Amino acid sequence: MKRSKPDEMTIKNGQNRKDIHPGLEVEIVLKKDQKTGKTTRGIVKDILTNSAHHPHGIKVRLQDGQIGRVQAIIEKS
C-alpha cells in the first residue's frame, strides 16, 4: 500500500460496511490488481456489498466508475 500524504491518515481497514459511505476517500484493490495488491485511490460513489462485514473488504464503485474492495479509508487531518 502506498504511503499517505503528510496531512492524511489511514484509518480502518474497509471490512465493515458501517464505516463506508458515499463521498468517502478510500484506497481500493481492483480485481485485476488483486495478485499484486496495488491500490487505487478515489471517492466512493456506491456501496456494492450488501453484507455488514466482508473479510476481503467492502466492494464499492468509485466516482470514476472503477470497482474494487476497500483496503483503507483515508481521513484528512
Side-chain angles (χ1 to χ4, degrees):
M1 185 179 302
K2 62 185 174 184
R3 302 243 185 240
S4 297
K5 295 177 185 172
D7 62 337
E8 296 175 344
M9 183 170 117
T10 303
I11 60 163
K12 308 208 189 241
N13 59 17
Q15 294 180 344
N16 296 308
R17 194 175 194 278
K18 66 180 174 68
D19 296 333
I20 299 167
H21 56 82
L24 193 63
E25 186 172 5
V26 297
E27 288 188 350
I28 65 169
V29 171
L30 303 172
K31 183 100 176 157
K32 69 178 182 139
D33 295 327
Q34 285 178 343
K35 288 183 181 178
T36 64
K38 177 185 169 214
T39 58
T40 301
R41 188 176 287 203
I43 307 296
V44 175
K45 178 180 179 184
D46 301 306
I47 301 172
L48 304 177
T49 299
N50 289 324
S51 62
H53 177 83
H54 194 285
H56 300 296
I58 299 298
K59 189 180 279 188
V60 298
R61 178 182 295 116
L62 300 180
Q63 288 179 345
D64 64 6
Q66 296 185 92
I67 295 174
R69 294 197 181 274
V70 177
Q71 300 301 299
I73 299 168
I74 307 301
E75 181 181 79
K76 304 280 185 189
S77 55

